[in-house]
Every structure is written in structure tokens, then in C-alpha cells.
Amino acid sequence: MSASTVAVIVVAAGSGQRLGHPEPKAFVPLGDGTILSTAVHAVLGMHEVPHLVLVVPAERVADTAAAFRAVAERAGAPLDVVAGGSTRQESVAGGLAVLPHVVETVLVHDAARPLTPAALFDEVVHAVQARGHGVVPALPVVDTVKRVDAGGRVVETVDRSTLAAVQTPQGFPRDELERAYGEASEEFTDDAALAAAAGLPVDTVPGDARAFKVTVPADLDRAERLLADRRGREASAAASLAQAEPEAAAGVAAVAGAVDGGASVPRIGTGVDVHAFSDDPSTPLWIAGLEWPGERGLAGHSDGDAASHAIVDALLAAAGLGDIGGIFGTDDPALAGAHGAVFLARARALVEAAGFRIGNVTVQVIGNRPRLSPRRAEAERVLGEALGAPVSVSGTTTDALGLTGRGEGVAALATALLVPAGAAGRLVG
Ligand code: CTP
Ligand code: MG
């Protein structure tokens, strides 16, 4: 079991007064298990299997450890179960206290949000690692919001465009969160507020409606219904796959079973990019990671290498990390004139941090010039070295039609296949 640099602390030590069930809220039945087991199932479906810390009422530590030991071990997740405190904040602090040294990124999650999808955990981890500070999932507020006085009279309407409803998991660099907890001298309702009080930046990623909190009995009914719908959809998808392709169905089930129902299957992505030829005849041409002496160059803030940019988009899309514009600012001075290799190396690092290995990449360059075929092997080698994976390069024209046919620029279309790093061995054969 390799040590993970990511930890998820699931706080489950509350009593659930508003739910009004005899059991503490996390131990209330949901689906085939409990609120807590449903939340843990999502955590163990993350791309990078984390160190899992469950914070539960003191009298439930032993039975929780016994109940989750096997499932955590099967997923390869180190597990700690500790007693919580009398407030959520104390419970989080209890979880932080047991993290091993190797942990660099910490997510804090309410067990009371059991249907939060694994992908939201992955997204928070990526965002914390890419931005280097705290990140919380947030949804826009859809209701009109009023400020109301003690007597119930409406005082004013609050501008909802500046408001967000914040969820969990909330992610932080471990040292920042520890420092903020060390400094906290009052009670906060969430970790983002505590971090902000310590002067730390916290920003958002898009939240997910399924990450709603089970607070009152109607929320539990909603969670039961959504879970039943999900089970129904999974069962019918599995049945049709089993009928059409029994071998594929067995393979998918084996991989999914290995991570306890998680989504560790290969992922594919597509990317397109177009650059116009430059008006300046002295601009060099860079395409597919190579310089093409004597050819007219392409315009762009970077070197205009449409093939490399299309590959970056395909990689990011496959990993669910957005697109090149969202990751690399088009006016970032550090990227002025930057070569494709810079973008490729950064995209590779991002998808690897997200728990993938690049399987292979194809890119087709569409344009009248340059003629790709004489240097195809060279381009494949350069791009392949940048990505640490096989890259196929091909070229085509558009029969004199369209912007590339008229010689106005060059387009490129790329496809990338990513393989979950942890599951790679199991997928072969
Ligand atoms: N929590 C905790 N320790 C506490 C209080 C809360 O670990 N002392 C956890 C809860 O188990 C829950 C999350 O923090 O997963 C969010 O809290 P909330 O929804 O308020 O849960 P409860 O405090 O259990 O519910 P209530 O406020 O209705 O009693
Ligand atoms: Mg509470």
C-alpha cells in the first residue's frame, strides 16, 4: 500500500439533532448501507486513492474501524478512525492530528453530504494542487435572498449575484490548514471561513447539486430516491453492456470492483486548434513541436503550434480538467512565444497529478503547408518525448476548401487516451 499525499477527513461525529433519528446522523441507514458508508464509497472512487480519516462519535470508533477496514484495504486506502469533539471544528482538528507526514493536500468532507460524486473530490484535489491554496465547491444562489429583521419584516433584498452556497469537500494545502486551525480562536461553520480568518486565500470550483447536505428528514428521503435512481441506472447499463459485450462488461466490472465501484476506466478526449498565418514574414513556423525553416509562421501569443495546442486540449478534456484557455491564460506574459513543448509538459504534469498516465495521442494537422510526411517521424519522436507516450502525427488537406484550403492558416485535431495510473496494470489484457 503506497503512501498517499492526499487525505480526506470525513467528519461524522455530529448527533444529527435536526434529523431526529435515534442513531447519530452518519449511522442512519441509507440505501444498502448508511449515510457514512455512502460517503466513504464516493471517497474510495477518487482517481488518486487518498488516506482516509473517519471522525466519529467516541463510542463508535471501534465498530467503525471494524466496519470499514476491509473496504479501505481493498481500495488501497490507509484508514484511521478517530473520535470527534463537541463541535465540527473540534472534530476536524481531531482528524488533522492523525495525518501522516507524507500528506500534502487535505480535503475535509461532511459525511452528511453522502451523494457527493467522486469527481467533485478529484476536482477539488486538482484545483488545490494547481492553485496552491484553499478551494471550496460553490453553487450560485438561485432564490431571491432577503435580509429580515428580528420581527420577521423584510429589510432589503440582497444582491444574489455576489453570493454562493458552499459545499464540501473543501480542500487545502495541508500546512495552510494546520496553521489556520492552530490560530483559530473562535468557532467557524466551515473550514473555508476558518482559513479566511487566518488570512489565507480560498476560492471556488463549481459545486454539484448532488453534494447537498442531509439535515432534516426530507433531505434523507431525497437522498434515498436519488440513490435508488442511480442504482436503477447502473443496473440497466450493466445489463445492456453484458448483453452486447460480455467480455467488456466483465473487464469494466473487474476494474470498478477493484476500486469499490469507482470510475477508474480509461478516458478519451478530443481537442481542436486553429492558427492563422502571420502577416510578418519573419515569424518562424512551429508546428507539431518542430521548427519548419523557410515556411511562413503562424500568428499567436505563443508560437502558434496548433498541433501541440490541440493535444493539450485533448489531454485536459480527457482528464476533465477544462481547456487550454482556462489553464494557461492567453495573455500570460510567461507564455509569450512559448513553444508547444512547454504547454505539453504542463498538461502532462496536470493529468498525471490527476491520477492518469497518457496511453497514446494522435494528432492530425490540416493545411496546405507545411508538408508533414518528410518529418513525421521526427515530430512523433519530439511530441512523444514531451508526453512520455506514443504520439501519431498525420497530415491532410481540405481539397482547397475552407480556411485551411485557402491557405489562411493551419488547423489541428487531436485525440488523447488516458489510463488511470493506479488501475493501469489491471486493464491490460
Ligand atoms: N460534525 C462533527 N462533529 C460535530 C458536529 C458535526 O463531525 N461535533 C459533522 C457532522 O457529522 C456532519 C458535518 O459535521 O457530517 C456537518 O454538520 P451538521 O450537518 O450540522 O451535522 P450534525 O451536527 O450532526 O446535525 P445537527 O446540527 O442537526 O445536530
Ligand atoms: Mg450541526
Side-chain angles (χ1 to χ4, degrees):
M1 195 176 293
S2 65
S4 175
T5 62
V6 174
V8 179
I9 299 173
V10 178
V11 284
S15 60
Q17 278 187 347
R18 288 168 287 179
L19 192 60
H21 195 280
E23 291 271 9
K25 184 157 76 180
F27 297 84
V28 168
L30 173 64
D32 297 336
T34 59
I35 289 182
L36 179 59
S37 73
T38 309
V40 167
H41 183 85
V43 175
L44 296 180
M46 290 170 66
H47 285 306
E48 184 178 344
V49 177
H51 187 108
L52 176 61
V53 181
L54 304 180
V55 186
V56 299
E59 65 281 8
R60 305 303 294 254
V61 170
D63 61 309
T64 304
F68 289 97
R69 191 173 297 129
V71 71
E73 208 170 289
R74 269 206 307 282
L79 172 70
D80 279 302
V81 182
V82 297
S86 59
T87 63
R88 183 184 183 281
Q89 196 163 316
E90 281 179 25
S91 295
V92 175
L96 276 175
V98 300
L99 294 183
H101 285 300
V102 290
V103 170
E104 291 167 6
T105 304
V106 181
L107 269 54
V108 181
H109 182 56
D110 293 336
R113 302 177 185 274
L115 298 189
T116 306
L120 187 60
F121 290 83
D122 292 330
E123 212 168 313
V124 171
V125 171
H126 303 155
V128 172
Q129 290 173 347
R131 302 176 197 177
H133 58 245
V135 170
V136 302
L139 287 175
V141 172
V142 290
D143 293 318
T144 296
V145 178
K146 308 276 188 203
R147 200 178 307 284
V148 179
D149 70 14
R153 172 153 305 173
V154 171
V155 180
E156 60 171 343
T157 300
V158 181
D159 174 11
R160 73 176 173 216
S161 68
T162 63
L163 299 177
V166 164
Q167 306 174 315
T168 72
Q170 304 192 347
F172 304 87
R174 183 243 184 98
D175 50 349
E176 285 200 352
L177 190 62
E178 275 181 346
R179 185 159 64 76
Y181 265 84
E183 287 174 9
S185 54
E186 51 177 305
E187 281 295 321
F188 296 92
T189 53
D190 72 352
D191 308 288
L194 184 142
L200 297 170
V202 179
D203 60 19
T204 61
V205 292
D208 190 300
R210 292 166 291 181
F212 70 95
K213 188 155 72 100
V214 173
T215 306
V216 295
D219 300 323
L220 188 60
D221 293 344
R222 179 176 167 208
E224 285 286 11
R225 275 196 310 275
L226 289 172
L227 201 56
D229 284 355
R230 190 163 87 188
R231 296 251 157 96
R233 272 199 309 279
E234 280 170 5
S236 62
S240 41
L241 182 62
Q243 209 175 15
E245 297 209 34
E247 275 181 32
V252 168
V255 173
V259 291
D260 193 37
S264 284
V265 292
R267 292 179 56 133
I268 197 166
T270 303
V272 174
D273 193 38
V274 178
H275 279 271
F277 282 117
S278 165
D279 291 328
D280 177 357
S282 71
T283 306
L285 176 68
W286 281 84
I287 194 101
L290 302 179
E291 187 175 7
W292 300 74
E295 294 276 358
R296 195 166 150 204
L298 293 165
H301 175 66
S302 65
D303 71 356
D305 184 343
S308 295
H309 301 170
I311 292 172
V312 168
D313 257 343
L315 290 167
L316 296 176
L321 291 173
D323 59 29
I324 191 167
I327 304 266
F328 308 94
T330 46
D331 46 14
D332 183 348
L335 296 173
H339 290 310
V342 173
F343 293 84
L344 292 171
R346 275 168 67 172
R348 177 184 177 183
L350 284 170
V351 303
E352 287 179 352
F356 295 99
R357 183 171 66 71
I358 301 173
N360 76 303
V361 168
T362 71
V363 62
Q364 186 169 36
V365 178
I366 306 161
N368 302 340
R369 298 205 62 84
R371 290 265 166 245
L372 255 298
S373 50
R375 299 185 69 192
R376 181 200 317 268
E378 197 185 343
E380 290 182 344
R381 186 173 47 71
V382 167
L383 296 172
E385 272 168 14
L387 297 178
V391 178
S392 311
V393 177
S394 58
T396 191
T397 61
T398 51
D399 211 9
L401 298 174
L403 67 94
T404 62
R406 291 190 299 270
E408 293 168 12
V410 173
L413 171 65
T415 305
L417 181 76
L418 299 181
V419 185
R426 294 182 204 117
L427 279 171
V428 176

